[in-house]
Structures are given as structure tokens and as C-alpha cells.
Amino acid sequence: MITCTVRYEIDPDQLGAFEVYAKAWLHLVAKLGGEHHGYHLPHEGPNDIAYCHFSFPSLADYEAYREKMWADPECLRAYAHAQATKCIRRYDRSFTKPLFVGASVDELGL
């Protein structure tokens, strides 16, 4: 499994527009075969930074998602919303291998 983390620099005056964008992508990532782990909007601290995390079984599956995304009318509408409202100033993506299951200290032999 591979997880994509997106760090957004957003316009704090367009937080409502960004939330609309985020809600659309929660649906769209699932529609296109991924598992979304949610958006994390500013609350305390910087008011212009947001994050999201979503996973695919493999990097190849993520790449297939990217191709489908650019051909999907709903995805294009979500992007158009972000462009029209200028709610996103910039974003960066990074990829990690998630670890979701823990174990007791005894099970780990510590």
C-alpha cells in the first residue's frame, strides 16, 4: 500500500471554498478506487495550511487513478472550483508506506 499526503497552502479567506473542494475529493478518491483518510483543515496554529491523506494498493494503482482523474468530469469540476475560487495557493505531494496495525510490547519482544 502507498499513501499520498498532500500539504496545501490555502487562502484563509477561502476556507469554505476549500472545504467544498475537500468534500468533493473525499468522494472522488473513493469513486476512483482509493481509500481516503480525510482532510485536516486549519484549527490552531497556521491558518493557511491543510493536509489530506489517501491510499492505493500500489504505486501503479495510484498512477492509474491519476490517468482516470484527468478524464473524469467530476474531477475536472472539482479542479475548476479550486481555480475559480483560488482557495489553493500551492500544494506538495509526498508518498509513504503506511503502518496501520500495532502490536503489544510483549508481541514485539521488547
Side-chain angles (χ1 to χ4, degrees):
M1 179 175 283
I2 188 165
T3 296
C4 180
T5 297
V6 185
R7 180 189 181 273
Y8 293 95
E9 181 183 316
I10 63 172
D11 180 343
D13 293 329
Q14 292 291 335
L15 183 57
F18 181 77
E19 191 169 338
V20 168
Y21 173 84
K23 287 179 179 179
W25 282 103
L26 287 167
H27 163 77
L28 292 167
V29 166
K31 170 186 162 184
L32 296 178
E35 179 181 354
H36 212 297
H37 308 297
Y39 276 81
H40 305 269
L41 306 179
H43 181 69
E44 291 291 327
N47 67 350
D48 64 344
I49 303 298
Y51 297 92
C52 81
H53 313 275
F54 56 95
S55 297
F56 284 88
S58 68
L59 185 56
D61 291 316
Y62 171 78
E63 293 296 337
Y65 151 80
R66 295 280 297 172
E67 284 192 33
K68 289 186 274 185
M69 178 188 75
W70 290 116
D72 185 277
E74 285 187 290
C75 293
L76 297 178
R77 285 170 58 192
Y79 275 122
H81 168 77
Q83 289 177 326
T85 62
K86 299 188 184 321
C87 61
I88 300 171
R89 293 180 176 156
R90 65 182 302 270
Y91 66 92
D92 299 299
R93 288 185 308 225
S94 62
F95 297 89
T96 56
K97 179 181 168 186
L99 183 62
F100 291 124
V101 179
S104 73
V105 175
D106 290 336
E107 290 171 318
L108 296 170
L110 299 178

